[in-house]
Amino acid sequence: MGHQQILDDMVAALKGELGEGYSSIRSFVESQGKLLAKQADNIATSRISGSLKQDDDLYEFFLENLRNNAENMAKAIVMMSALTIEKAWNAVAGILWGAIRTALSGAGVPGNLLPQNPPINM
């Protein structure tokens, strides 16, 4: 197996793993972002001319709720990104270690002398 084949396999594995991971993050970001934007707009509109115009305590309550929701969204994105990074590591490492094991095995190196596969997560 030549270096080009290893590269091609690695790219294919990454595309397979990250394609789904990225679309999951994008979908989440768009849906949650839309809700947060609406929440912020509602708070601003209510503060200007609605029920929050004269109610500082309730206004602060809604701002704090918005802050919590935005923070939770950011934390969820970080967790999803970490899973995507782990999938990328597994794809790359699996291809590289597999190529080494295949080449050495094909050259007659006994199985107990082949490099162990890397851990499946970082």
Side-chain angles (χ1 to χ4, degrees):
M1 179 182 296
H3 70 278
Q4 188 60 49
Q5 185 62 52
I6 294 170
L7 175 61
D8 292 346
D9 290 349
M10 194 170 28
V11 168
L14 281 170
K15 282 182 180 177
E17 292 297 334
L18 297 181
E20 182 180 320
Y22 175 75
S23 66
S24 296
I25 292 171
R26 190 184 87 197
S27 174
F28 176 79
V29 168
E30 289 175 359
S31 66
Q32 291 299 302
K34 186 175 183 179
L35 294 172
L36 287 174
K38 285 182 179 181
Q39 186 178 8
D41 185 50
N42 286 339
I43 292 169
T45 301
S46 293
R47 184 64 170 174
I48 293 168
S49 61
S51 62
L52 299 178
K53 187 173 185 173
Q54 302 297 322
D55 194 337
D56 293 340
D57 290 338
L58 193 55
Y59 171 68
E60 291 298 324
F61 172 80
F62 282 120
L63 285 179
E64 180 63 20
N65 185 267
L66 178 63
R67 187 193 68 75
N68 288 335
N69 289 342
E71 185 176 322
N72 288 337
M73 177 185 167
K75 287 177 181 177
I77 291 169
V78 167
M79 289 187 297
M80 285 187 267
S81 297
L83 291 174
T84 300
I85 291 167
E86 182 177 336
K87 287 179 178 181
W89 160 254
N90 291 340
V92 168
I95 295 299
L96 293 174
W97 267 253
I100 292 169
R101 290 177 62 83
T102 299
L104 293 178
S105 178
V109 174
N112 63 330
L113 297 178
L114 297 176
Q116 296 297 311
N117 287 330
I120 59 171
N121 58 29
M122 297 183 358

